[in-house]
């Protein structure tokens, strides 16, 4: 009887501990920054898309060359969406009226 109670207590403890570990699992993400340089006074026409080598794209189904060959931000967003990268944020840096606009696009993908 004593062994059965100890076994039952151990079993319940293991089940509760496992459930706690599963509930506290935090989803890990890879993040990718893509820099888009646009002309200032030409309705946002893209001059260049630039991506530096980042750990987050190693082993993924996207490449730096493929991203840099894109010509518009719409193509960039569609390409990343097809590769299951979620758009997260965009920030712009504008220094002067005639200077190019630097846009930083941030994407995330669950590991």
């Amino acid at each position: 009887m004593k062994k059965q109670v100890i076994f039952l207590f151990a079993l319940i403890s293991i089940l509760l501990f496992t459930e706690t570990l599963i509930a506290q699992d935090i989803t890990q993400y890879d993040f990718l920054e893509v820099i888009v340089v646009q002309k200032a006074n030409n309705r946002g026409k893209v001059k260049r898309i630039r991506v530096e080598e980042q750990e987050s794209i190693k082993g993924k189904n996207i490449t730096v060359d493929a991203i840099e060959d894109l010509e518009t931000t719409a193509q960039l967003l569609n390409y990343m969406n097809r590769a299951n990268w979620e758009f997260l944020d965009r920030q712009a840096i504008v220094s002067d009226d005639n200077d190019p606009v630097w846009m930083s696009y941030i994407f995330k993908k669950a590991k």
Side-chain angles (χ1 to χ4, degrees):
M1 178 70 178
K2 188 175 182 181
K3 288 183 182 180
Q4 291 175 345
V5 171
I6 292 173
F7 176 75
L8 184 61
F9 179 73
L11 182 64
I12 290 173
S13 297
I14 290 171
L15 290 175
L16 289 174
F17 183 70
T18 305
E19 188 67 28
T20 302
L21 288 177
I22 292 171
Q24 293 180 357
D25 187 26
I26 298 173
T27 305
Q28 299 292 316
Y29 290 99
D30 282 329
F31 291 92
L32 175 68
E33 180 180 26
V34 178
I35 304 296
V36 177
V37 182
Q38 297 178 331
K39 292 183 179 179
N41 294 325
N42 199 359
R43 294 189 202 138
K45 184 175 179 184
V46 172
K47 288 176 66 174
R48 183 175 177 211
I49 296 177
R50 182 166 185 258
V51 180
E52 292 185 12
E53 281 292 333
Q54 300 173 39
E55 288 290 323
S56 60
I57 59 176
K58 290 184 180 177
K60 301 291 190 295
N61 58 347
I62 61 173
T63 63
V64 171
D65 294 333
I67 294 172
E68 289 181 348
D69 288 342
L70 300 172
E71 297 178 1
T72 65
T73 55
Q75 287 177 345
L76 171 67
L77 294 172
N78 287 332
Y79 177 78
M80 298 303 284
N81 190 32
R82 283 192 304 271
N84 295 323
W85 283 81
E86 180 182 344
F87 173 73
L88 187 63
D89 190 23
R90 179 185 75 182
Q91 295 179 355
I93 300 171
V94 182
S95 57
D96 197 13
D97 288 339
N98 293 325
D99 288 344
V101 178
W102 290 73
M103 305 289 289
S104 171
Y105 286 80
I106 306 293
F107 297 92
K108 73 176 183 176
K109 182 174 186 170
K111 288 185 180 180

